[in-house]
Amino acid sequence: MGQGGEPRRVQAYDGELGAAVARAQEGDEAAFAVAYRLVQPGLLGYLRGLVGADAEDVASDAWLEIARDLGRFKGDGAGFRGWTATIARHRALDHLRRQRVRPRSAALEQDMLDLPGPHSTHDQALESLSTEYALELVRGLPRDQAEAVLLRVVVGLDGPAAARVLGKRPGAVRTAAYRGLKRLAHQLGAERVTDDGPRTLGEST
């Protein structure tokens, strides 16, 4: 249960991903489809945390750019996840500028009954991030914390790779991810024992 274990599930695919990317760069379309299948779930989760319901559209734009620039990419599977996350982030920020909105939390849904109980642990908070509800909670975090959590947990990047995507020092990203996860664990636990209907979180910035 070490700190470095967070992206373990995603890292398990890095060898397969690196090989697929190398073949795709040689023109193998089936290999590009494999790379897409391995990267898209995490990328979509990251984008949902940034742009909500528009994530599919933004992801489509990002993949067009990824396919166009694939020949310029140099690196392994983990590097490819970082590279694609950087492209997706630029597309998301462009989208948000056009919409003139900032990521913010929506009113919470009643599906909080499916969440961990009041004794939520850090690890349970991580596991819960696969749900749409949890992604809404992430969107309520301060922007630096939200992006750090999404890149580390949902995309599965390690600290230095997440820092490169965000253009920040690894220590700053590590701190932001820790604070964000601590806040999420608290919110997931607190919401479970609140019986008088949904609330909007993240009022204090």
Side-chain angles (χ1 to χ4, degrees), residues 23-204:
R23 291 197 310 273
Q25 288 181 311
E26 294 165 3
D28 185 335
E29 289 182 22
F32 185 81
V34 169
Y36 174 87
R37 178 174 52 78
L38 291 172
V39 171
Q40 173 70 349
L43 207 62
L44 201 54
Y46 175 47
L47 289 171
R48 281 201 186 105
L50 291 178
V51 301
D54 295 327
E56 296 269 4
D57 291 341
V58 174
S60 295
D61 290 343
W63 278 105
L64 287 172
E65 185 173 337
I66 291 162
R68 186 193 71 204
D69 294 343
L70 185 62
R72 301 212 319 250
F73 170 74
K74 291 180 175 60
D76 57 8
F80 186 72
R81 278 192 288 109
W83 183 67
T84 55
T86 301
I87 290 173
R89 181 175 192 260
H90 289 156
R91 295 281 69 78
L93 296 181
D94 287 346
H95 176 82
L96 290 171
R97 273 192 289 273
R98 284 196 302 271
Q99 299 291 318
R100 295 193 177 170
V101 296
R102 294 178 53 212
R104 60 176 193 263
S105 62
L108 300 180
E109 301 293 330
Q110 280 303 119
D111 59 359
M112 58 184 146
L113 296 177
D114 298 330
L115 293 169
H119 302 296
S120 269
T121 64
H122 184 269
D123 289 334
Q124 283 173 305
L126 294 184
E127 291 302 319
S128 299
L129 286 175
S130 60
T131 68
E132 290 293 328
Y133 170 82
L135 286 171
E136 284 295 338
L137 288 186
V138 173
R139 293 182 75 204
L141 294 173
R143 176 68 153 281
D144 63 328
Q145 293 179 20
E147 288 210 70
V149 168
L150 290 164
L151 288 170
R152 295 282 282 122
V153 181
V154 180
V155 180
L157 301 183
D158 63 19
R164 282 193 295 275
V165 172
L166 297 174
K168 295 183 176 178
R169 295 188 320 279
V173 174
R174 197 162 47 242
T175 300
Y178 173 77
R179 286 179 178 158
L181 286 168
K182 190 172 174 186
R183 188 162 167 175
L184 283 175
H186 172 75
Q187 290 176 344
L188 288 168
E191 280 303 307
R192 182 63 184 85
V193 293
T194 301
D195 294 322
D196 49 356
R199 294 184 293 140
T200 300
L201 295 179
E203 284 135 15
S204 60

